[in-house]
Amino acid sequence: MNNSLHLDRESPIHRLSPEVKIVAVLLFTVIVVVTPREEFAAFAGYAVLIAIVAALARVPAGWLLKRATIELPFVLLAVVLPFAGHGERVEWLGMSLSVEGLYGAWNIVAKGTLGVLASLLLAATTTTRDLIIGLDRLRCPDVITQIMTFMVRYLDVLADDARRMRIARLARGYDPRFLWQVKAFAVGIGALFLRSYERGERVYLAMLSRGYAGRMPVTVGAPAPAAEWVLSAALPVASAGIAVTALLA
């Protein structure tokens, strides 16, 4: 399966081992989340760090912003908070806004946007296969990595099944588009689930016949060298420094 978010570029960030990038993004996200919402300067510093990493990874700003629209539902929720919040209120352009609601909206938008951008940078610089390998090297439970491996391998197969079923339905002159026609869509989903379940059983039996004993063959290769860990630590260390500086200022 191709990772539609991965950008095949030559950059220092792309060359890093996947496990060091996963840990760096995770620590950065944790630091962003625990930062008090009143520390506006800290969030500006985090944004600068994201911009620096994006430049080093040769990821265009337009590409990031376009895909960051995935957080729009949360932004819409945040817009409601200043109007629905309680407590002290301020007047702006004739509207009465809750101070607590404004802080809550800022908290959601700022932290959510930074988290989404960091995740997009990880996806842009790391293939899906490498992400799974990185999780395996980080001692992620085997069950999780195996489920992800099979999901990556068979998601395209399921998409092709769904496409063929839709073409067959259209060939018979039936194209449900309205709510009262949802039964046909539900029947198709049920049939696709049964096909997937049966395929899973066949694949599992085939694996058992080939000696599968609960763990996939180890193909993760050598762990990341210490130099890569030091390099990747620059992001969380810098973000931690920004947070501490903002709190002490």
Side-chain angles (χ1 to χ4, degrees):
M1 176 185 175
N2 293 323
N3 180 3
S4 59
L5 294 178
H6 180 254
L7 291 177
D8 190 11
R9 305 285 173 85
E10 182 64 28
S11 76
I13 309 300
H14 282 76
R15 289 193 293 269
L16 289 174
S17 299
E19 63 268 30
V20 303
K21 290 186 280 187
I22 293 172
V23 173
V25 169
L26 177 61
L27 292 177
F28 171 79
T29 304
V30 170
I31 293 170
V32 169
V33 170
V34 301
T35 301
R37 61 190 183 183
E38 296 84 3
E39 302 298 336
F40 302 109
F43 291 105
Y46 299 151
V48 171
L49 291 180
I50 289 290
I52 292 173
V53 174
L56 291 174
R58 299 175 59 196
V59 177
W63 185 94
L64 279 175
L65 295 177
K66 179 180 178 181
R67 284 153 182 81
T69 54
I70 191 175
E71 69 165 340
L72 279 180
F74 301 99
V75 173
L76 294 176
L77 171 64
V79 170
V80 178
L81 293 181
F83 300 95
H86 301 287
E88 181 184 355
R89 307 188 76 83
V90 294
E91 294 292 330
W92 184 70
L93 297 180
M95 297 180 292
S96 177
L97 305 176
S98 165
V99 174
E100 185 66 22
L102 288 170
Y103 274 121
W106 159 255
N107 193 51
I108 293 174
V109 173
K111 295 181 179 180
T113 301
L114 290 169
V116 168
L117 292 176
S119 300
L120 286 172
L121 284 174
L122 177 61
T125 58
T126 316
T127 64
T128 304
R129 176 182 176 275
D130 286 342
L131 283 173
I132 297 174
I133 290 176
L135 291 172
D136 203 32
R137 289 176 180 172
L138 293 171
R139 300 295 186 268
C140 185
D142 292 340
V143 173
I144 295 178
T145 55
Q146 289 183 39
I147 290 175
M148 293 178 65
T149 300
F150 287 116
M151 179 191 72
V152 169
R153 178 166 297 183
Y154 288 102
L155 198 58
D156 284 341
V157 177
L158 296 181
D160 286 340
D161 279 348
R163 181 180 56 82
R164 286 193 294 268
M165 291 171 63
R166 179 177 180 275
I167 292 174
R169 188 174 65 242
L170 293 176
R172 290 169 175 80
Y174 192 68
D175 184 18
R177 294 176 178 269
F178 303 102
L179 184 61
W180 57 84
Q181 296 176 308
V182 73
K183 179 181 178 181
F185 179 76
V187 170
I189 294 296
L192 184 62
F193 171 78
L194 291 176
R195 286 188 182 183
S196 303
Y197 186 82
E198 292 172 351
R199 178 182 287 112
E201 284 190 329
R202 292 195 300 270
V203 170
Y204 179 68
L205 292 175
M207 291 171 61
L208 288 179
S209 68
R210 289 164 174 80
Y212 175 72
R215 180 173 174 79
M216 299 294 287
V218 179
T219 58
V220 296
E228 290 193 3
W229 285 104
V230 172
L231 181 61
S232 67
L235 177 63
V237 168
S239 57
I242 290 173
V244 172
T245 302
L247 289 173
L248 296 178

